[in-house]
Amino acid sequence: MEIPPSIRKHCGFADEYRMFEELRKMDQELYEQKKRSGEIPDIDTAYAKLITSVEKSFESICIEPPIPYLVRLCNEMKDLKELATAPEYIDGQPLHFFIKYGIEWNRPEDVIRKQAEAAFGKLYERFVRLTGGRS
C-alpha cells in the first residue's frame, strides 16, 4: 500500500520504504547483479526491515491496535510455535518471515528450534504489552 512520504518520514521508516520500492521496481537482471556484488540487500531482507519498522511505528502510536492486527500477530505466534516444535517443516513460510524474526532457515534443526522459541517469547511479550494483558 502506498504510504504518503510525509508519514513515512514522520514515522521513521522512509529509508526502509524507499529501499524496498527501489528493489521491487528494479530490473530483475540488474537486481541479481547488484545483489551478488553486495551493492544492495536481498529484497526479502529489505521487506522484513520495512515490516519491522512499520510495526514498531504503528505500535508506538496506536493505543488499541485493531483486531485484525492482533489476529495477524497471533497467527505469527502460532507459526513460530509450530516451527519451534517441528523445525523440519520449515517450508511453509516466506523467507521474509524468517528474516523478520532472526531465524536462520539454513541451520540445523536444533538451532532453528531455539531461534523460533526466542522469537516466540519476544512476540508474546509484545502481544501482551499491546493487549494490556499479563505475561
Side-chain angles (χ1 to χ4, degrees):
M1 184 169 115
E2 178 68 27
I3 300 173
S6 59
I7 293 175
R8 291 181 235 154
K9 184 177 179 182
H10 178 75
C11 292
F13 56 84
D15 291 338
E16 291 89 346
Y17 190 94
R18 180 191 48 75
M19 175 56 72
F20 177 71
E21 285 299 308
E22 284 178 17
L23 296 175
R24 192 174 64 81
K25 293 175 182 175
M26 191 176 285
D27 173 71
Q28 187 65 31
E29 191 175 308
L30 180 61
Y31 165 76
E32 291 295 333
Q33 178 187 4
K34 287 187 172 213
K35 186 176 85 169
R36 276 192 304 274
S37 71
E39 290 179 59
I40 58 171
D42 179 84
I43 194 164
D44 289 301
T45 301
Y47 187 56
K49 284 183 180 181
L50 175 60
I51 291 171
T52 302
S53 295
V54 169
E55 286 179 351
K56 184 177 179 181
S57 176
F58 177 74
E59 291 172 15
S60 73
I61 60 173
C62 189
I63 296 170
E64 292 184 26
I67 297 299
Y69 184 76
L70 296 174
V71 168
R72 187 176 64 76
L73 293 182
C74 278
N75 288 336
E76 289 184 3
M77 279 193 291
K78 178 184 167 212
D79 292 342
L80 288 168
K81 183 178 178 182
E82 288 176 0
L83 188 59
T85 57
E88 64 273 14
Y89 298 112
I90 200 164
D91 296 331
Q93 293 296 329
L95 185 55
H96 70 266
F97 177 82
F98 298 110
I99 296 167
K100 176 182 176 184
Y101 288 108
I103 298 169
E104 300 167 285
W105 61 94
N106 55 355
R107 299 289 303 267
E109 287 182 7
D110 61 323
V111 173
I112 293 170
R113 179 177 284 113
K114 288 177 185 175
Q115 291 173 339
E117 287 171 357
F120 176 88
K122 288 178 184 175
L123 182 55
Y124 179 77
E125 288 299 320
R126 227 172 96 200
F127 187 83
V128 167
R129 181 178 45 78
L130 289 171
T131 59
R134 294 190 176 116
S135 59

